[in-house]
Amino acid sequence: MRLSDAPLIDQARIARRVEELGAQLREDFQGAPLTVAVLLKGAAWFAADLLRHLPHDTRVEFMRAQSYAGTASTGTVEFGLLPAAEAITGRDVLLVEDILDTGRTLHAARAQLQGLGAAKVKICVLLDKAAPRVEAITADYVGFRIDDEFVVGYGLDYNEEYRTLPAIYTLSINPH
Ligand code: XMP
Ligand code: MG
């Protein structure tokens, strides 16, 4: 297992892109009361930075999904935490996730929000991985498009480690 020497995406690039996304979101959701639903744990870092660029009446809710063990998707998505229904029902919701890979997590999370009666659900991901989708999911807002590699840092983990890295690195599992 080997962490890349240099970041794939450094802190300055992340900060610049988060600011751009914030500006775009402010424009697109003008006038509509917005709830941001953050998928724990990985998206907490991205969301915390992004939320600093959003209007003061934005509500924030957290959801917890688990579909991953190590670097291989397990295929089932379970929710350990769901948003308060009153923060979702009848409101525009922005679902914020760290990375879009097979699409299973976002597909399941969006279904939960629709089940709670969201008026509209848009998806914002920090990273969109060029990996085969199992569920047809397209993110409405994307920080960066990346190759099909395993990445860690800025909230992203490998077996719960590396989340505290301030930038995004690639992790090779079988170095040669
Ligand atoms: P799916 O396959 O549901 O995956 O779209 C999304 C979830 O899988 C995790 N994931 C990763 N985590 N580095 C990580 O640290 C990666 O390269 C990676 N790819 C997928 C992530 O938890 C996300 O919520
Ligand atoms: Mg994860």
Side-chain angles (χ1 to χ4, degrees), residues 25-63:
L25 289 165
R26 283 199 306 276
E27 205 176 297
D28 292 357
F29 289 92
Q30 251 176 52
L34 180 67
T35 296
V36 170
V38 183
L39 273 158
L40 295 176
K41 300 176 190 172
W45 286 251
F46 172 43
D49 287 343
L50 186 64
L51 283 162
R52 290 174 223 274
H53 299 281
L54 299 187
H56 302 157
D57 61 355
T58 304
R59 294 191 58 164
V60 186
E61 292 288 319
F62 295 97
M63 311 174 70

Side-chain angles (χ1 to χ4, degrees), residues 159-170:
N159 287 343
E160 297 300 328
E161 295 186 1
Y162 302 107
R163 291 193 199 275
T164 60
L165 287 170
I168 295 163
Y169 293 78
T170 58

Side-chain angles (χ1 to χ4, degrees), residues 40-42 65 68 98-99 150 155-158 160 163:
L40 295 176
K41 300 176 190 172
Y68 237 71
D98 52 6
I99 187 164
F150 200 82
L156 290 141
D157 72 304
Y158 174 69
E160 297 300 328
R163 291 193 199 275

Side-chain angles (χ1 to χ4, degrees), residues 1 3 5 9-10 15-16 18 26 34 38 55 69 75 77-78 81 95 103-104 108 110 127 136 149 154 162 165:
M1 213 165 56
L3 197 65
D5 294 329
I9 307 169
D10 67 26
R16 276 199 305 273
V18 167
R26 283 199 306 276
L34 180 67
V38 183
V77 181
E78 282 167 22
L81 174 68
L95 178 54
R104 283 193 186 104
R110 184 176 62 187
L127 304 173
E149 293 179 299
Y154 193 61
Y162 302 107
L165 287 170

Side-chain angles (χ1 to χ4, degrees), residues 7 11-12 22 24 29 57 66 74 78 112 120 127 134 147 155 168:
Q11 286 184 78
Q24 199 185 336
F29 289 92
D57 61 355
Q66 252 169 332
T74 58
E78 282 167 22
Q112 292 287 339
K120 176 162 99 180
L127 304 173
V134 171
D147 293 339
I168 295 163

